[in-house]
Amino acid sequence: MTSTLSPPGAGPGPSTPERVALRHRLAERGVDRTLLLLLPGLLAVVALFCYPFLYGLQISFQPTTGGTLGSYRAFFDNSYAVGSIAITFKLALPAALINVGASVPISYRMRRDFRGKRLLLALLVVPITLGTVLTAEGIVEFFGPVGWFNQTLRTLHLIHTPLTLTYNYWGVLLSLVISGFPFAFLLTHSYLSGIHPALERAAATLGADWRQRFRHITFPLLLPGLMTTFVLTFVLAFAVFPSAIMVGDPDGRTHVISIEAYETALERFNYSQGCAIAMIMTALMLTVIALTMALRTRLYRGATGGKG
């Protein structure tokens, strides 16, 4: 009497020959079983991103007045609302460039082991744990008119009147730099760690100093990663909301497009136009991402002789 028990660890299910046959059938159809592991993640993306996005897109074309594109026309006919686009770019672009630019020399220096490296690394990424709201509150306390920063400058007789660094453009920019730098630093550090040090050592044996090694070897290899880092930090800064309210001027110089979408949807209860503004935000971010990635591809093809 033959045993029908499965091999140890096989668990319940089809017998081994049936599993082998199923595996062969999937392989003949070009289906990799390991791709099934992506199913939970895909379901989460559909539930948390795709469905809300498509639902909001549908609502944006259902205004109470003005026809299908009424919400979009209402936004672009309002000069105050349209001005929020330029304000957002004036904050997001400098913040992304500053974060990426500052992360390069620090990451380049921290590739080597030195005493206190772990402590310094921890200090650099601490702002991630603080959150946007706590960072904004800290900026108000530290950079405010009676904060430590202005008090120190007055004690050293460097200024006579306090610098205005809060409740304006500069307060929001400081918040974006402080909260966005850890992401830029960690990404840049990981890209630099992937560049084999033997390349620089070989250049050093040929007489190249550190500046020449960085300019001709490290930076060209790092540039595609920097462009990806710029895109991610830009998207993070473009969606600025809490700091624009807490340390900015939400009704004036820091009236960013996210505030316009919030006020339209949840204060004026015009959900269709609020969704339309959110779609415009998405389109603007995707445009910057597409342009940056196109430039990245072009630079990569140029560096490899035009071979993709």
Side-chain angles (χ1 to χ4, degrees), residues 225-275:
L226 288 181
M227 300 187 76
T228 302
T229 303
F230 167 79
V231 165
L232 295 176
T233 52
F234 170 80
V235 170
L236 183 66
F238 196 85
V240 55
F241 182 79
S243 59
I245 294 177
M246 299 182 65
V247 293
D249 178 18
D251 295 325
R253 287 171 290 180
T254 63
H255 185 75
V256 293
I257 191 171
S258 60
I259 294 179
E260 180 65 25
Y262 169 81
E263 291 178 349
T264 301
L266 300 179
E267 292 185 3
R268 297 192 288 270
F269 301 104
N270 190 339
Y271 297 109
S272 177
Q273 188 172 338
C275 290

Short mmCIF file of all heavy atoms in Angstrom, two decimals, residues 225-275:
data_model
loop_
_atom_site.label_atom_id
_atom_site.label_comp_id
_atom_site.label_asym_id
_atom_site.label_seq_id
_atom_site.Cartn_x
_atom_site.Cartn_y
_atom_site.Cartn_z
N GLY A 225 22.59 59.17 -10.63
CA GLY A 225 21.98 59.02 -9.31
C GLY A 225 21.56 60.35 -8.72
O GLY A 225 20.53 60.45 -8.05
N LEU A 226 22.35 61.39 -8.97
CA LEU A 226 22.00 62.72 -8.46
C LEU A 226 20.72 63.23 -9.11
O LEU A 226 19.91 63.90 -8.46
CB LEU A 226 23.14 63.70 -8.72
CG LEU A 226 24.40 63.53 -7.88
CD1 LEU A 226 25.42 64.59 -8.25
CD2 LEU A 226 24.08 63.60 -6.39
N MET A 227 20.52 62.92 -10.37
CA MET A 227 19.31 63.38 -11.04
C MET A 227 18.08 62.65 -10.50
O MET A 227 17.01 63.24 -10.35
CB MET A 227 19.45 63.18 -12.55
CG MET A 227 20.61 63.95 -13.14
SD MET A 227 20.69 63.91 -14.94
CE MET A 227 19.40 65.07 -15.34
N THR A 228 18.24 61.38 -10.18
CA THR A 228 17.15 60.66 -9.53
C THR A 228 16.86 61.23 -8.15
O THR A 228 15.71 61.40 -7.75
CB THR A 228 17.48 59.17 -9.43
OG1 THR A 228 17.74 58.64 -10.73
CG2 THR A 228 16.35 58.39 -8.79
N THR A 229 17.93 61.54 -7.41
CA THR A 229 17.77 62.15 -6.09
C THR A 229 17.08 63.50 -6.18
O THR A 229 16.22 63.84 -5.37
CB THR A 229 19.14 62.31 -5.42
OG1 THR A 229 19.79 61.05 -5.35
CG2 THR A 229 19.00 62.88 -4.02
N PHE A 230 17.44 64.28 -7.20
CA PHE A 230 16.80 65.58 -7.39
C PHE A 230 15.30 65.42 -7.62
O PHE A 230 14.49 66.18 -7.07
CB PHE A 230 17.43 66.30 -8.59
CG PHE A 230 16.64 67.49 -9.06
CD1 PHE A 230 16.73 68.69 -8.40
CD2 PHE A 230 15.81 67.38 -10.17
CE1 PHE A 230 15.99 69.79 -8.82
CE2 PHE A 230 15.07 68.47 -10.59
CZ PHE A 230 15.16 69.68 -9.92
N VAL A 231 14.92 64.44 -8.43
CA VAL A 231 13.50 64.23 -8.71
C VAL A 231 12.73 63.91 -7.43
O VAL A 231 11.66 64.47 -7.16
CB VAL A 231 13.33 63.10 -9.74
CG1 VAL A 231 11.89 62.61 -9.78
CG2 VAL A 231 13.74 63.57 -11.12
N LEU A 232 13.28 63.02 -6.61
CA LEU A 232 12.59 62.61 -5.39
C LEU A 232 12.48 63.75 -4.40
O LEU A 232 11.43 63.95 -3.77
CB LEU A 232 13.31 61.41 -4.77
CG LEU A 232 13.30 60.13 -5.60
CD1 LEU A 232 14.12 59.04 -4.92
CD2 LEU A 232 11.87 59.63 -5.82
N THR A 233 13.56 64.50 -4.23
CA THR A 233 13.51 65.63 -3.29
C THR A 233 12.62 66.75 -3.83
O THR A 233 11.98 67.46 -3.04
CB THR A 233 14.93 66.16 -3.03
OG1 THR A 233 15.59 66.44 -4.27
CG2 THR A 233 15.75 65.15 -2.25
N PHE A 234 12.58 66.91 -5.14
CA PHE A 234 11.69 67.93 -5.72
C PHE A 234 10.23 67.58 -5.45
O PHE A 234 9.43 68.45 -5.07
CB PHE A 234 11.93 68.05 -7.22
CG PHE A 234 10.91 68.89 -7.93
CD1 PHE A 234 10.99 70.28 -7.89
CD2 PHE A 234 9.85 68.29 -8.61
CE1 PHE A 234 10.02 71.05 -8.52
CE2 PHE A 234 8.89 69.07 -9.24
CZ PHE A 234 8.97 70.44 -9.19
N VAL A 235 9.86 66.32 -5.67
CA VAL A 235 8.48 65.90 -5.43
C VAL A 235 8.13 66.10 -3.96
O VAL A 235 7.02 66.56 -3.62
CB VAL A 235 8.29 64.43 -5.84
CG1 VAL A 235 6.93 63.91 -5.37
CG2 VAL A 235 8.40 64.30 -7.36
N LEU A 236 9.07 65.78 -3.07
CA LEU A 236 8.83 65.97 -1.64
C LEU A 236 8.61 67.44 -1.32
O LEU A 236 7.72 67.79 -0.52
CB LEU A 236 10.02 65.43 -0.85
CG LEU A 236 9.93 65.48 0.67
CD1 LEU A 236 8.83 64.56 1.18
CD2 LEU A 236 11.26 65.10 1.30
N ALA A 237 9.39 68.32 -1.93
CA ALA A 237 9.26 69.75 -1.65
C ALA A 237 8.05 70.36 -2.34
O ALA A 237 7.44 71.30 -1.83
CB ALA A 237 10.54 70.48 -2.09
N PHE A 238 7.69 69.85 -3.51
CA PHE A 238 6.58 70.42 -4.26
C PHE A 238 5.25 70.22 -3.53
O PHE A 238 4.33 71.03 -3.69
CB PHE A 238 6.51 69.77 -5.65
CG PHE A 238 5.66 70.53 -6.63
CD1 PHE A 238 6.20 71.59 -7.35
CD2 PHE A 238 4.34 70.19 -6.85
CE1 PHE A 238 5.42 72.30 -8.26
CE2 PHE A 238 3.55 70.89 -7.75
CZ PHE A 238 4.10 71.95 -8.46
N ALA A 239 5.17 69.17 -2.75
CA ALA A 239 3.94 68.88 -2.00
C ALA A 239 3.93 69.55 -0.64
O ALA A 239 3.20 69.12 0.26
CB ALA A 239 3.76 67.37 -1.86
N VAL A 240 4.72 70.61 -0.47
CA VAL A 240 4.82 71.28 0.82
C VAL A 240 3.44 71.78 1.26
O VAL A 240 2.68 72.33 0.47
CB VAL A 240 5.81 72.46 0.73
CG1 VAL A 240 5.43 73.42 -0.38
CG2 VAL A 240 5.89 73.21 2.06
N PHE A 241 3.12 71.54 2.54
CA PHE A 241 1.84 72.01 3.07
C PHE A 241 1.96 72.51 4.52
O PHE A 241 1.73 73.69 4.77
CB PHE A 241 0.77 70.93 2.96
CG PHE A 241 -0.58 71.37 3.44
CD1 PHE A 241 -1.39 72.16 2.65
CD2 PHE A 241 -1.03 71.00 4.69
CE1 PHE A 241 -2.64 72.58 3.09
CE2 PHE A 241 -2.28 71.42 5.15
CZ PHE A 241 -3.08 72.20 4.35
N PRO A 242 2.34 71.65 5.49
CA PRO A 242 2.36 72.13 6.88
C PRO A 242 3.30 73.30 7.12
O PRO A 242 2.93 74.28 7.76
CB PRO A 242 2.80 70.88 7.67
CG PRO A 242 2.50 69.73 6.79
CD PRO A 242 2.70 70.22 5.41
N SER A 243 4.52 73.20 6.59
CA SER A 243 5.47 74.29 6.83
C SER A 243 5.06 75.58 6.13
O SER A 243 5.34 76.68 6.63
CB SER A 243 6.87 73.87 6.37
OG SER A 243 6.87 73.55 4.99
N ALA A 244 4.37 75.48 4.99
CA ALA A 244 3.91 76.68 4.30
C ALA A 244 2.88 77.43 5.12
O ALA A 244 2.72 78.65 4.98
CB ALA A 244 3.32 76.32 2.94
N ILE A 245 2.19 76.72 6.00
CA ILE A 245 1.21 77.36 6.87
C ILE A 245 1.84 77.79 8.20
O ILE A 245 1.60 78.90 8.67
CB ILE A 245 0.04 76.38 7.14
CG1 ILE A 245 -0.73 76.12 5.84
CG2 ILE A 245 -0.90 76.94 8.21
CD1 ILE A 245 -1.86 75.13 5.99
N MET A 246 2.69 76.93 8.78
CA MET A 246 3.19 77.18 10.12
C MET A 246 4.33 78.18 10.17
O MET A 246 4.43 78.96 11.12
CB MET A 246 3.64 75.86 10.76
CG MET A 246 2.52 74.84 10.90
SD MET A 246 3.08 73.32 11.69
CE MET A 246 3.49 73.93 13.33
N VAL A 247 5.21 78.17 9.19
CA VAL A 247 6.35 79.10 9.22
C VAL A 247 6.36 79.99 7.98
O VAL A 247 7.36 80.66 7.71
CB VAL A 247 7.69 78.35 9.33
CG1 VAL A 247 7.82 77.66 10.65
CG2 VAL A 247 7.85 77.35 8.18
N GLY A 248 5.26 80.01 7.24
CA GLY A 248 5.20 80.82 6.03
C GLY A 248 4.09 81.84 6.09
O GLY A 248 3.57 82.18 7.16
N ASP A 249 3.74 82.33 4.94
CA ASP A 249 2.66 83.31 4.78
C ASP A 249 1.62 82.69 3.85
O ASP A 249 1.63 82.94 2.64
CB ASP A 249 3.23 84.61 4.20
CG ASP A 249 2.16 85.66 3.98
OD1 ASP A 249 1.08 85.53 4.57
OD2 ASP A 249 2.42 86.60 3.20
N PRO A 250 0.74 81.85 4.38
CA PRO A 250 -0.14 81.04 3.52
C PRO A 250 -1.10 81.85 2.66
O PRO A 250 -1.59 81.34 1.65
CB PRO A 250 -0.90 80.16 4.53
CG PRO A 250 -0.82 80.90 5.82
CD PRO A 250 0.49 81.60 5.80
N ASP A 251 -1.36 83.09 3.02
CA ASP A 251 -2.26 83.91 2.22
C ASP A 251 -1.52 84.86 1.29
O ASP A 251 -2.14 85.66 0.60
CB ASP A 251 -3.18 84.74 3.14
CG ASP A 251 -4.12 83.86 3.95
OD1 ASP A 251 -4.55 82.84 3.41
OD2 ASP A 251 -4.39 84.20 5.12
N GLY A 252 -0.21 84.74 1.26
CA GLY A 252 0.57 85.66 0.43
C GLY A 252 1.74 84.98 -0.23
O GLY A 252 1.59 84.21 -1.17
N ARG A 253 2.93 85.23 0.29
CA ARG A 253 4.17 84.83 -0.39
C ARG A 253 4.42 83.33 -0.36
O ARG A 253 5.27 82.84 -1.09
CB ARG A 253 5.36 85.57 0.23
CG ARG A 253 5.41 87.05 -0.15
CD ARG A 253 6.46 87.79 0.65
NE ARG A 253 6.06 87.92 2.05
CZ ARG A 253 6.78 88.53 2.98
NH1 ARG A 253 7.95 89.04 2.66
NH2 ARG A 253 6.35 88.61 4.22
N THR A 254 3.73 82.57 0.47
CA THR A 254 3.89 81.11 0.46
C THR A 254 2.54 80.42 0.24
O THR A 254 2.29 79.34 0.79
CB THR A 254 4.53 80.61 1.77
OG1 THR A 254 3.66 80.92 2.88
CG2 THR A 254 5.89 81.25 1.98
N HIS A 255 1.69 81.06 -0.55
CA HIS A 255 0.41 80.43 -0.90
C HIS A 255 0.68 79.42 -2.01
O HIS A 255 0.50 79.70 -3.20
CB HIS A 255 -0.59 81.49 -1.36
CG HIS A 255 -1.96 80.94 -1.63
ND1 HIS A 255 -2.84 80.58 -0.63
CD2 HIS A 255 -2.59 80.67 -2.81
CE1 HIS A 255 -3.96 80.13 -1.17
NE2 HIS A 255 -3.83 80.16 -2.49
N VAL A 256 1.11 78.23 -1.62
CA VAL A 256 1.48 77.20 -2.58
C VAL A 256 0.23 76.51 -3.11
O VAL A 256 -0.88 76.67 -2.58
CB VAL A 256 2.43 76.17 -1.93
CG1 VAL A 256 3.77 76.82 -1.60
CG2 VAL A 256 1.81 75.57 -0.68
N ILE A 257 0.41 75.71 -4.14
CA ILE A 257 -0.74 75.12 -4.82
C ILE A 257 -1.45 74.08 -3.95
O ILE A 257 -2.66 73.87 -4.08
CB ILE A 257 -0.29 74.50 -6.17
CG1 ILE A 257 -1.51 74.12 -7.01
CG2 ILE A 257 0.64 73.32 -5.95
CD1 ILE A 257 -1.17 73.72 -8.43
N SER A 258 -0.72 73.43 -3.03
CA SER A 258 -1.38 72.48 -2.14
C SER A 258 -2.34 73.18 -1.19
O SER A 258 -3.41 72.64 -0.87
CB SER A 258 -0.33 71.70 -1.35
OG SER A 258 0.46 72.57 -0.57
N ILE A 259 -1.99 74.39 -0.76
CA ILE A 259 -2.90 75.17 0.08
C ILE A 259 -4.14 75.57 -0.72
O ILE A 259 -5.27 75.55 -0.21
CB ILE A 259 -2.19 76.40 0.66
CG1 ILE A 259 -1.09 75.96 1.63
CG2 ILE A 259 -3.17 77.33 1.36
CD1 ILE A 259 -0.31 77.11 2.22
N GLU A 260 -3.93 75.95 -1.97
CA GLU A 260 -5.06 76.32 -2.83
C GLU A 260 -6.01 75.13 -3.00
O GLU A 260 -7.24 75.29 -2.95
CB GLU A 260 -4.55 76.78 -4.19
CG GLU A 260 -5.62 77.18 -5.17
CD GLU A 260 -6.42 78.39 -4.74
OE1 GLU A 260 -5.89 79.21 -3.96
OE2 GLU A 260 -7.58 78.52 -5.18
N ALA A 261 -5.46 73.93 -3.18
CA ALA A 261 -6.31 72.74 -3.32
C ALA A 261 -7.06 72.46 -2.03
O ALA A 261 -8.27 72.13 -2.06
CB ALA A 261 -5.45 71.54 -3.71
N TYR A 262 -6.39 72.60 -0.89
CA TYR A 262 -7.04 72.36 0.41
C TYR A 262 -8.17 73.34 0.66
O TYR A 262 -9.28 72.96 1.04
CB TYR A 262 -5.99 72.45 1.52
CG TYR A 262 -6.58 72.47 2.90
CD1 TYR A 262 -6.97 71.30 3.53
CD2 TYR A 262 -6.75 73.68 3.58
CE1 TYR A 262 -7.53 71.32 4.80
CE2 TYR A 262 -7.30 73.71 4.85
CZ TYR A 262 -7.69 72.53 5.46
OH TYR A 262 -8.23 72.56 6.71
N GLU A 263 -7.90 74.63 0.44
CA GLU A 263 -8.91 75.65 0.70
C GLU A 263 -10.10 75.49 -0.24
O GLU A 263 -11.26 75.68 0.17
CB GLU A 263 -8.30 77.04 0.55
CG GLU A 263 -7.29 77.38 1.64
CD GLU A 263 -6.67 78.75 1.45
OE1 GLU A 263 -6.88 79.34 0.36
OE2 GLU A 263 -5.99 79.23 2.37
N THR A 264 -9.84 75.13 -1.48
CA THR A 264 -10.93 74.98 -2.45
C THR A 264 -11.83 73.81 -2.09
O THR A 264 -13.06 73.91 -2.13
CB THR A 264 -10.36 74.78 -3.86
OG1 THR A 264 -9.55 75.90 -4.21
CG2 THR A 264 -11.47 74.63 -4.88
N ALA A 265 -11.22 72.69 -1.71
CA ALA A 265 -12.01 71.49 -1.46
C ALA A 265 -12.64 71.47 -0.07
O ALA A 265 -13.81 71.08 0.07
CB ALA A 265 -11.12 70.25 -1.64
N LEU A 266 -11.91 71.88 0.96
CA LEU A 266 -12.37 71.68 2.33
C LEU A 266 -12.81 72.94 3.04
O LEU A 266 -13.34 72.85 4.16
CB LEU A 266 -11.25 71.00 3.14
CG LEU A 266 -10.81 69.63 2.61
CD1 LEU A 266 -9.70 69.06 3.46
CD2 LEU A 266 -11.99 68.67 2.56
N GLU A 267 -12.60 74.11 2.44
CA GLU A 267 -13.11 75.34 3.03
C GLU A 267 -14.24 75.92 2.19
O GLU A 267 -15.22 76.43 2.73
CB GLU A 267 -11.98 76.36 3.20
CG GLU A 267 -10.96 75.96 4.26
CD GLU A 267 -9.92 77.03 4.50
OE1 GLU A 267 -10.02 78.13 3.89
OE2 GLU A 267 -9.00 76.79 5.31
N ARG A 268 -14.08 75.86 0.86
CA ARG A 268 -15.14 76.33 -0.02
C ARG A 268 -16.02 75.18 -0.52
O ARG A 268 -17.00 75.42 -1.24
CB ARG A 268 -14.54 77.09 -1.21
CG ARG A 268 -13.80 78.35 -0.78
CD ARG A 268 -13.46 79.23 -1.97
NE ARG A 268 -12.40 78.68 -2.80
CZ ARG A 268 -11.10 78.93 -2.61
NH1 ARG A 268 -10.71 79.70 -1.60
NH2 ARG A 268 -10.19 78.40 -3.40
N PHE A 269 -15.66 73.96 -0.16
CA PHE A 269 -16.43 72.75 -0.46
C PHE A 269 -16.69 72.58 -1.95
O PHE A 269 -17.74 72.10 -2.37
CB PHE A 269 -17.76 72.74 0.31
CG PHE A 269 -17.58 72.80 1.78
CD1 PHE A 269 -17.82 73.99 2.47
CD2 PHE A 269 -17.16 71.70 2.49
CE1 PHE A 269 -17.64 74.05 3.84
CE2 PHE A 269 -16.98 71.75 3.86
CZ PHE A 269 -17.22 72.93 4.54
N ASN A 270 -15.72 72.98 -2.75
CA ASN A 270 -15.78 72.76 -4.20
C ASN A 270 -14.86 71.58 -4.51
O ASN A 270 -13.70 71.75 -4.89
CB ASN A 270 -15.33 74.02 -4.95
CG ASN A 270 -15.60 73.94 -6.44
OD1 ASN A 270 -15.75 72.86 -7.00
ND2 ASN A 270 -15.66 75.08 -7.10
N TYR A 271 -15.39 70.38 -4.33
CA TYR A 271 -14.56 69.19 -4.46
C TYR A 271 -14.08 68.98 -5.89
O TYR A 271 -12.98 68.49 -6.11
CB TYR A 271 -15.35 67.96 -3.98
CG TYR A 271 -15.72 68.03 -2.53
CD1 TYR A 271 -17.04 68.22 -2.14
CD2 TYR A 271 -14.75 67.91 -1.53
CE1 TYR A 271 -17.40 68.30 -0.79
CE2 TYR A 271 -15.09 67.98 -0.19
CZ TYR A 271 -16.41 68.18 0.17
OH TYR A 271 -16.74 68.28 1.50
N SER A 272 -14.89 69.33 -6.86
CA SER A 272 -14.49 69.14 -8.25
C SER A 272 -13.27 70.00 -8.58
O SER A 272 -12.29 69.51 -9.15
CB SER A 272 -15.65 69.49 -9.19
OG SER A 272 -15.24 69.38 -10.54
N GLN A 273 -13.29 71.27 -8.20
CA GLN A 273 -12.15 72.13 -8.49
C GLN A 273 -10.95 71.76 -7.63
O GLN A 273 -9.81 71.85 -8.07
CB GLN A 273 -12.51 73.60 -8.27
CG GLN A 273 -11.43 74.56 -8.73
CD GLN A 273 -11.87 76.01 -8.69
OE1 GLN A 273 -13.06 76.29 -8.71
NE2 GLN A 273 -10.91 76.92 -8.63
N GLY A 274 -11.20 71.31 -6.39
CA GLY A 274 -10.09 70.85 -5.56
C GLY A 274 -9.38 69.66 -6.19
O GLY A 274 -8.15 69.59 -6.19
N CYS A 275 -10.16 68.73 -6.73
CA CYS A 275 -9.55 67.59 -7.42
C CYS A 275 -8.85 68.03 -8.70
O CYS A 275 -7.80 67.48 -9.06
CB CYS A 275 -10.63 66.55 -7.75
SG CYS A 275 -11.29 65.68 -6.31
#
